[in-house]
Amino acid sequence: MDGAGKVTGVVRAEGRERMPFSVQMVDGHTRVVPGDAELLLAQGKLDARLFDVTQLAADGYDDAGRTDVPLIVTFKGKKAPSMTPFTGAGAKMGRALPAVNGKAMRSVKKRGTDF
């Protein structure tokens, strides 16, 4: 983004060079959404705030501010699944969040495609 908050380009991760992205203005905020997230957003499986680059940058979640992405992952059912797929993709586990049947974790940005 430039100094005015306008998206001037998208750098795609390794293995995602051909992934299309949409840039959307919603209530004065810019969202940058990869094509493979569109359906998950529409189904309510992903939170649109994950793609709000205006707010993310303001909160220090830009590339200059962090090397990881803090997440809350929720699970269906009574028992959490194995964490191996998450840790195998480089995520660092945080505390259990029983109120939402979930877990806090941090995904390493450089391994976002793996995650």
Side-chain angles (χ1 to χ4, degrees), residues 8-57:
T8 58
V10 175
V11 178
R12 291 162 174 85
E14 184 178 331
R16 294 176 61 82
E17 294 87 358
R18 294 179 174 249
M19 178 60 61
F21 281 80
S22 65
V23 177
Q24 309 159 2
M25 289 297 297
V26 179
D27 297 327
H29 285 236
T30 302
R31 289 184 190 160
V32 179
V33 182
D36 57 353
E38 295 282 354
L39 180 60
L40 296 170
L41 280 168
Q43 294 172 336
K45 293 181 178 180
L46 284 177
D47 188 328
R49 292 175 292 182
L50 291 169
F51 306 97
D52 181 347
V53 296
T54 303
Q55 192 63 51
L56 290 168

Side-chain angles (χ1 to χ4, degrees), residues 29-101:
H29 285 236
T30 302
R31 289 184 190 160
V32 179
V33 182
D36 57 353
E38 295 282 354
L39 180 60
L40 296 170
L41 280 168
Q43 294 172 336
K45 293 181 178 180
L46 284 177
D47 188 328
R49 292 175 292 182
L50 291 169
F51 306 97
D52 181 347
V53 296
T54 303
Q55 192 63 51
L56 290 168
D59 292 340
Y61 293 106
D62 55 348
D63 285 339
R66 299 188 71 99
T67 59
D68 64 4
V69 179
L71 301 166
I72 294 175
V73 177
T74 59
F75 309 107
K76 289 186 177 182
K78 295 180 181 180
K79 185 178 176 187
S82 167
M83 295 297 106
T84 302
F86 299 109
T87 57
K92 304 292 184 212
M93 294 296 111
R95 64 186 176 108
L97 304 169
V100 295
N101 192 28

